[in-house]
Amino acid sequence: MSTALESLLDLLDLERIERDIFRGRSRSAVVPRVFGGQVAAQAMVAAGRTVPADRHAHSLHAYFLRPGDPGAPIVYTVDRIRDGRSFTTRRVVAVQHGQPVFHLSASFQTYEEGLDHQVPMPPAPDPETLPTSAERLRGYGHLAPEVVERFLETREAVDLRYVGEPPYGEFGAPREPHSQVWFRTNGKLDGAVDEPLLHVVLATYVSDMTLLDSVLLAHGRGGWAVGDVVGASLDHAMWFHRPFRADEWLLYDQESPSASGGRGLGQARIHTRDGRLAVTVIQEGVVRVPREH
């Protein structure tokens, strides 16, 4: 396990203050606010720790209410909405400085046999044949080295590889609003930390990294790191269909069906390397182009 992955796992390991109250730490991001994937992942940890071990996460629905302060702890309060025979529902509110910054509802289910079908996995090259994020970003001469290194620092716990060119190049012609990335943790998960909830939590963390990139591709924008657009997650939903491991390659196939009103929509499917549909993701975010004065 890499040092960066150990640090991420430590970040996601919340302190229990009371029966249903937890406290989490933050770390700096590229922008001066808490990374949305971190808050969503920590909220899932809080919810999962109030649920019986035989009930596994099958969905989450979340709203990002205010920018998180990376210099302050985040308190997560869990409301035990329902404990049914098959399903368990939890509501989590994340609070900083006396105000809610994030709201999540999550549902957990006992294992059941049932109907089974899925869409096929889209074609994609093997992840080992693709350049790493560091190799790609350091190849862009128009990006300041300090921006690149700060950007990579937020992703060093994850081996994330774009299938095509990410929207970090200079302005170009609009492209199809479709993006693919392979990802896995930068190191194997084993021992006491290796549990089903952790893989869900890590996928939740990564899912917020690249989903809105497909919005930028449709308009030939240079990307978040360039500063020609301003973006922030508004809401986020995930459905967990089948078991998967976050330390094995996962294909994140993403597209944007719409952008309007200063918002962009991203939707995606996550497949395991052997083709099983593991997760469906939908997110809407603020995507604004700064006005020139």
Side-chain angles (χ1 to χ4, degrees), residues 36-213:
Q38 174 202 307
V39 183
Q42 288 180 330
M44 281 300 289
V45 170
R49 288 186 176 174
T50 69
V51 174
D54 66 340
R55 302 198 173 199
H56 304 298
H58 78 82
S59 69
L60 69 84
H61 302 263
Y63 283 92
F64 298 88
L65 306 176
R66 293 178 175 86
D69 177 2
I74 307 174
V75 175
Y76 296 89
T77 302
V78 181
D79 191 355
R80 302 186 183 224
I81 298 295
R82 180 175 183 266
D83 288 294
R85 288 182 295 178
S86 300
F87 291 89
T88 294
T89 306
R90 296 290 184 262
R91 180 173 58 199
V92 183
V93 178
V95 177
Q96 277 190 318
H97 306 302
Q99 292 186 312
V101 298
F102 179 81
H103 174 277
L104 174 139
S105 294
S107 184
F108 301 77
Q109 180 190 15
T110 57
Y111 176 77
E112 293 184 25
E113 295 284 352
L115 302 176
D116 196 323
H117 77 276
Q118 69 165 73
V119 296
M121 179 179 178
D126 289 338
E128 288 86 356
T129 66
L130 301 171
T132 65
S133 290
E135 291 168 340
R136 276 199 190 276
L137 287 173
R138 288 173 181 152
Y140 292 132
H142 66 289
L143 295 180
E146 61 272 16
V147 172
V148 171
E149 296 309 314
R150 190 168 69 249
F151 198 79
L152 292 174
E153 184 180 351
T154 65
R155 299 185 174 189
E156 60 185 351
V158 180
D159 188 348
L160 191 150
R161 306 190 183 199
Y162 281 87
V163 170
E165 283 292 324
Y168 301 127
E170 300 187 59
F171 290 113
R175 291 185 273 162
E176 179 186 3
H178 176 249
S179 176
Q180 288 182 323
V181 296
W182 285 99
F183 74 88
R184 65 180 178 184
T185 56
N186 191 7
K188 297 294 290 183
L189 300 168
D190 51 30
V193 300
D194 187 13
E195 57 185 44
L197 177 63
L198 180 60
H199 295 275
V200 165
V201 166
L202 288 167
T204 301
Y205 180 85
V206 177
S207 68
D208 191 40
M209 287 184 174
T210 62
L211 186 49
L212 295 182
D213 287 358

